[in-house]
Amino acid sequence: MNETITPLIPVRMVNEYVYCPRLAYMMWVQGEFAHSADTVEGAIRHKRVDKEGGKLPTETSEEPETIHARSVSLSSETLGITAKIDLVEGVGVEVQPVDYKKGKRPHVPAGAYAPERVQVCAQGLLLREYGYEVDHGYLYFVGSKERVKVAFDEELLAETLAAIEGLRGLSQEDTPPPPLVDSPKCGRCSLIGICLPDEVGLLTQQRIDVRPIYPQAETALPLYVQSPASYVRKDGEQLIIEENREKVAEARLMDTSQVVLFGHCGMSTPALHECCKRQIPVTFMSYGGWFIGHCVGTGHHNVQTRTDQYRASFDDTACLHLARRLVTAKIQNCRTLLRRNWKDDGEEGDKAPAELLTGLKNDMLQAARTHSLQALLGVEGNAARRYFEQLIAMISPEKRTVAGRFDFNGRNRRPPKDPINALLSFAYAMLTREWTVTLSAVGLDPYRGFYHQMRFARPALALDMMEPFRPLVADSAVITAINNGEVRQEDFIIASTGCNLKAPGRKRFIAAFERRMNQEVTHPIFNYRLSYRRLFEVQARLLTRFLSGEIPRYPTFVTR
């Protein structure tokens, strides 16, 4: 029988465990991390002490040696921990660890908070394992330039050993511990957007409201490269775009959220390596706009999330539960889009016909009551027919010349035969790419779905998750681009074999799609505002919470 071997626990994770067990689990076991202003500032403050090569004396001499060693790495199989100590100082065998903290000294009775005191105590235990005499350590607060002495008394030693053992036991669990309830710690936590403590608390009835998430400004944007002659290379902290070996554009890596290459665009190996290291996805589209695939670094290493996903995907009941919610939300959002954007001049003026809205509402109710995926496919097909037959009514009458041969009795594709179908196909390919990247980033497998059937090279889960957002993002971007005159009739090549969007029109449509992705909406359950791109991540993480059993059901997004 094989025993589970727990790797050595980083001492900084012991600090996180004392601060919040859920945070420690997510960071160490699940591999989650997100930078915040505090973590970036802390990294800058540590630059002086984070130097490789710090060593302690290996031999003792008759004269006690003064020790002043920075960035000392120590490990102990007995204690089961490892650490890089910022500074070790002392004389002979009597030494003290010094741990640097970026902020100011807190004015509390113990001189510092428990997580920091436990962390420096664990460093002292490591030094004891190496034969040194250590009865106290120091915390150095860079913000106030003060040292706080931490005595390693019996109480602190017991607390430290209990924290190490507690985190070791927690690491064997399949799910993280529950989030803190209404804790002031959550507000400054860099993982608040991953942990979703208030959202999970609301969905499990642990609290009655949700504190809004205030994410950092989303300054990073996708970089789209369309010209077949384009080549992307790295130059320092920038990506340089060249055509025929002449520079035509540049983008800072820190301002790039993903790189999207169309057709035969090339990219250098150093540029690709840097994107992988920075977790910047590189996605590949055909020249016509079909999503081909994407590459990232080593990927998300939380295997348990994918295990939960695969387990649920083989459960017919779980698949039907998720599929019904996703399809119902899609139909409801289609109905809302028609109601809001109806522009047909009929007897009811600018109001969508009551018969159409009633039919879609009945489709919603029927989708929620289906007893099989096959029946659900039929209901979705009927609802799609109603919706697409009237899609033309959301386009301004004076702009309908763009529609060309548009006559919607159903979608046509591969290749699309008219301009609107061409735009919809391109928009859906863009939406599939966005969801594939998002699902991969949170640790899910985009190719194992619950509603869409598995097929070679088909991102089934991405197609599942995008269902409620087809009308809200893709269809809305198409309608807006046509009504605003951003895409015109001359932007298409129409032939007997199909209809294609020209490069200038595609560039303008991509801008319209990105505007939609960056538009802020109010979440109907949590009542805070966030962009669609951020919303995708929140919904993906809520799916992981549902699959792990943390929340009783997956909350879909429906607009009001």
Side-chain angles (χ1 to χ4, degrees):
M1 180 177 178
N2 294 328
E3 295 183 1
T4 302
I5 300 176
T6 304
L8 297 179
I9 301 173
V11 165
R12 63 186 181 86
M13 288 296 108
V14 180
N15 176 320
E16 305 292 1
Y17 175 80
V18 177
Y19 183 81
C20 172
R22 183 178 175 88
L23 174 62
Y25 184 94
M26 289 186 168
M27 291 183 69
W28 188 47
V29 180
Q30 295 187 332
E32 301 282 10
F33 184 74
H35 273 298
S36 67
D38 290 337
T39 62
V40 172
E41 182 184 354
I44 294 172
R45 301 279 191 182
H46 269 84
K47 275 188 175 180
R48 180 167 176 256
V49 294
D50 284 347
K51 295 180 179 179
E52 297 296 333
K55 294 182 179 179
L56 297 175
T58 55
E59 297 181 1
T60 57
S61 59
E62 294 182 359
E63 292 293 327
E65 181 179 351
T66 300
I67 298 173
H68 190 87
R70 294 188 181 277
S71 228
V72 178
S73 296
L74 299 177
S75 299
S76 169
E77 293 287 347
T78 303
L79 293 170
I81 56 177
T82 183
K84 180 185 283 189
I85 305 174
D86 291 337
L87 174 63
V88 178
E89 60 182 18
V91 178
V93 296
E94 296 182 358
V95 298
Q96 301 84 40
V98 181
D99 196 44
Y100 281 59
K101 300 299 176 185
K102 72 173 185 63
K104 296 182 179 181
R105 175 179 66 87
H107 295 282
V108 293
Y113 293 115
E116 286 72 33
R117 296 172 66 247
V118 165
Q119 182 175 359
V120 75
C121 182
Q123 295 173 358
L125 290 174
L126 280 171
L127 287 167
R128 287 185 181 182
E129 284 286 307
Y130 280 77
Y132 291 94
E133 297 177 6
V134 190
D135 59 7
H136 66 277
Y138 293 98
L139 293 166
Y140 178 69
F141 293 90
V142 178
S144 57
K145 297 182 179 179
E146 293 179 272
R147 274 196 179 198
V148 172
K149 182 178 179 180
V150 179
F152 300 157
D153 54 28
E154 293 301 321
E155 182 180 354
L156 181 57
L157 289 169
E159 185 179 1
T160 302
L161 292 172
I164 295 170
E165 191 59 33
L167 181 52
R168 182 180 293 110
L170 184 63
S171 68
Q172 305 302 317
E173 300 294 329
D174 291 338
T175 57
L180 302 178
V181 178
D182 205 23
S183 172
K185 297 178 182 179
C186 298
R188 294 185 65 88
C189 178
S190 64
L191 261 63
I192 185 172
I194 298 173
C195 173
L196 302 176
D198 289 4
E199 291 83 350
V200 172
L202 180 70
L203 296 171
T204 55
Q205 301 181 343
Q206 297 295 312
R207 57 180 299 127
I208 60 173
D209 61 350
V210 174
R211 293 167 293 183
I213 294 177
Y214 297 104
Q216 293 176 299
E218 296 177 0
T219 56
L221 296 170
L223 170 65
Y224 291 90
V225 186
Q226 294 191 73
S227 172
S230 295
Y231 185 75
V232 182
R233 63 178 178 85
K234 175 182 174 293
D235 184 9
E237 293 294 305
Q238 292 183 320
L239 292 175
I240 307 298
I241 299 93
E242 297 178 341
E243 286 188 15
N244 300 317
R245 299 193 176 184
E246 290 188 7
K247 177 180 174 180
V248 295
E250 63 184 34
R252 294 193 303 176
L253 281 158
M254 64 181 295
D255 294 333
T256 304
S257 62
Q258 56 181 289
V259 179
V260 186
L261 304 176
F262 284 82
H264 297 292
C265 297
M267 189 172 194
S268 71
T269 301
L272 189 58
H273 284 187
E274 190 64 27
C275 287
C276 287
K277 285 191 288 188
R278 293 174 181 249
Q279 300 300 313
I280 299 174
V282 179
T283 59
F284 302 92
M285 310 281 285
S286 71
Y287 185 74
W290 293 106
F291 175 54
I292 298 174
H294 78 291
C295 67
V296 291
T298 54
H300 203 293
H301 67 243
N302 181 14
V303 179
Q304 187 58 47
T305 294
R306 291 189 288 279
T307 301
D308 294 336
Q309 175 189 356
Y310 298 146
R311 183 184 296 117
S313 71
F314 288 104
D315 184 336
D316 293 340
T317 301
C319 288
L320 183 60
H321 169 80
L322 276 168
R324 283 191 303 208
R325 295 186 62 78
L326 292 168
V327 171
T328 302
K330 174 190 175 181
I331 298 172
Q332 183 170 348
N333 289 334
C334 287
R335 183 177 183 273
T336 301
L337 194 70
L338 283 167
R339 184 168 49 82
R340 286 181 178 178
N341 296 279
W342 190 267
K343 293 180 173 59
D344 205 17
D345 295 326
E347 295 180 359
E348 301 183 40
D350 287 341
K351 291 185 178 180
E355 181 181 356
L356 172 63
L357 299 180
T358 300
L360 288 170
K361 187 173 183 180
N362 290 335
D363 290 334
M364 288 165 46
L365 297 174
Q366 191 175 355
R369 294 194 298 261
T370 53
H371 298 290
S372 69
L373 292 179
Q374 290 74 20
L376 186 60
L377 283 167
V379 174
E380 184 194 11
N382 288 333
R385 178 185 52 78
R386 292 183 210 273
Y387 170 73
F388 283 125
E389 282 178 350
Q390 304 299 329
L391 185 68
I392 193 72
M394 292 186 280
I395 297 174
S396 300
E398 62 273 16
K399 301 293 184 181
R400 290 181 188 175
T401 54
V402 177
R405 302 192 303 269
F406 179 80
D407 182 15
F408 242 146
N409 290 319
R411 283 271 289 128
N412 61 72
R413 49 193 182 272
R414 297 187 183 93
K417 296 180 176 60
D418 57 75
I420 294 185
N421 268 300
L423 283 174
L424 288 172
S425 292
F426 184 52
Y428 293 154
M430 297 273 286
L431 193 58
T432 304
R433 175 181 57 79
E434 291 285 350
W435 268 108
T436 300
V437 170
T438 300
L439 293 168
S440 297
V442 304
L444 291 163
D445 184 347
Y447 291 89
R448 183 72 189 183
F450 304 97
Y451 178 48
H452 287 83
Q453 298 301 306
M454 288 186 299
R455 192 182 298 166
F456 178 72
R458 185 189 202 185
L461 184 60
L463 296 174
D464 286 354
M465 296 297 289
M466 66 185 269
E467 288 293 352
F469 297 95
R470 284 178 184 264
L472 299 181
V473 177
D475 299 356
S476 178
V478 170
I479 294 164
T480 301
I482 295 175
N483 287 341
N484 289 349
E486 295 173 271
V487 179
R488 300 178 289 273
Q489 195 171 15
E490 58 267 26
D491 290 322
F492 298 89
I493 301 174
I494 302 177
S496 59
T497 55
C499 178
N500 290 307
L501 187 62
K502 296 178 184 177
R506 183 167 59 228
K507 183 177 181 180
R508 292 193 297 274
F509 180 74
I510 288 173
F513 183 88
E514 282 298 318
R515 281 201 313 274
R516 188 61 176 169
M517 287 295 297
N518 291 322
Q519 183 174 335
E520 289 193 346
V521 291
T522 300
H523 199 288
I525 300 174
F526 307 133
N527 294 320
Y528 51 61
R529 293 185 64 78
L530 70 175
S531 69
Y532 273 110
R533 181 165 277 117
R534 170 70 181 135
L535 173 63
F536 286 6
E537 182 186 346
V538 170
Q539 292 299 121
R541 294 196 181 281
L542 288 173
L543 178 62
T544 67
R545 302 288 175 254
F546 167 72
L547 295 174
S548 67
E550 283 193 70
I551 57 178
R553 64 179 185 171
Y554 170 70
T556 53
F557 180 87
V558 290
T559 190
R560 295 172 178 172

